[in-house]
Amino acid sequence: MAGSSEEAPDYGRGVVIMDDWPGYDLNLFTYPQHYYGDLEYVLIPHGIIVDRIERLAKDIMKDIGYSDIMVLCVLKGGYKFCADLVEHLKNISRNSDRFVSMKVDFIRLKSYRNDQSMGEMQIIGGDDLSTLAGKNVLIVEDVVGTGRTMKALLSNIEKYKPNMVKVASLLVKRTPRSDGFRPDSHMRHQ
């Protein structure tokens, strides 16, 4: 199964941001005027995010072996991250000796109703998941919190017998309720 449920001491596949990190002074950056007075600091500069997404794309291509990829973007939060990641994946494909075909599909996950866990997850949208059989699947999510929803999605997808499933997340939230799930590629808030 994709990702890992173990606490890995090696953070080589992610950027770690400690809880006591004070962030960068706002005077170091330009930002939209409508945010003036609302922000205290910059936690992760845009350039670091862009560079990290490019590195994630390289890691994904290495892991998948320059094979065709079915990308499942988890909406709504994952859209911009997914678009940027796919663009980097396409650039790598264009500059390699093997064309990598990518198809992107969009899903929404519903596991809560009125702030209460429903116990099971509902997948909304997307093509018929049976088309994932034998494919290399990349799930792209903006933030992994406890990991429970992602584990439920992975369990659901594994029923369709894909060749490989990888999870890329922009951020992993450290929370005491975490079940220890970690995506294959991510930044990490510690």
Side-chain angles (χ1 to χ4, degrees):
M1 187 178 285
S4 169
S5 292
E6 300 172 9
E7 264 312 309
D10 176 16
Y11 298 115
R13 299 290 294 246
V15 174
V16 178
I17 302 167
M18 304 303 284
D19 279 345
D20 59 354
W21 164 239
Y24 294 96
D25 188 282
L26 290 176
N27 293 323
L28 297 172
F29 304 95
T30 60
Y31 56 96
Q33 188 172 2
H34 62 271
Y35 288 121
Y36 288 11
D38 293 330
L39 300 178
E40 296 177 26
Y41 53 87
V42 173
L43 191 59
I44 308 170
H46 180 257
I48 290 176
I49 293 171
V50 171
D51 287 350
R52 184 66 189 136
I53 293 172
E54 182 176 5
R55 179 54 195 247
L56 291 175
K58 288 179 182 179
D59 290 346
I60 288 163
M61 288 299 242
K62 181 180 173 193
D63 289 349
I64 292 182
Y66 290 85
S67 299
D68 295 347
I69 304 170
M70 176 64 197
V71 179
L72 282 181
C73 176
V74 180
L75 297 174
K76 293 184 179 180
Y79 175 74
K80 176 68 171 130
F81 169 51
C82 184
D84 292 346
L85 182 61
V86 166
E87 188 59 36
H88 284 292
L89 290 167
K90 286 180 179 179
N91 286 338
I92 292 169
S93 173
R94 278 192 284 269
N95 293 311
S96 74
D97 56 357
R98 184 182 183 309
F99 175 75
V100 176
S101 171
M102 274 173 265
K103 181 179 177 192
V104 180
D105 203 355
F106 301 92
I107 60 173
R108 290 184 70 187
L109 306 178
K110 187 174 182 180
S111 60
Y112 291 90
R113 182 181 297 137
N114 299 329
D115 295 331
Q116 296 294 316
S117 176
M118 296 187 313
E120 62 182 62
M121 182 197 56
Q122 180 183 11
I123 300 173
I124 302 167
D127 286 341
D128 177 8
L129 294 181
S130 67
T131 62
L132 300 178
K135 303 262 178 34
N136 296 316
V137 178
L138 175 64
I139 300 170
V140 181
E141 170 73 289
D142 62 340
V143 179
V144 171
T146 65
R148 289 184 195 101
T149 302
M150 187 54 63
K151 276 188 165 181
L153 175 61
L154 289 168
S155 177
N156 193 309
I157 287 175
E158 290 290 336
K159 294 175 191 173
Y160 298 100
K161 307 224 181 295
N163 180 52
M164 175 188 304
V165 180
K166 294 288 183 180
V167 177
S169 175
L170 182 59
L171 297 168
V172 174
K173 187 181 348 178
R174 186 174 56 84
T175 171
R177 298 185 336 244
S178 173
D179 64 7
F181 176 83
R182 294 288 176 256
D184 300 293
S185 304
H186 65 281
M187 288 184 165
R188 180 174 179 183
H189 179 259
Q190 175 77 0

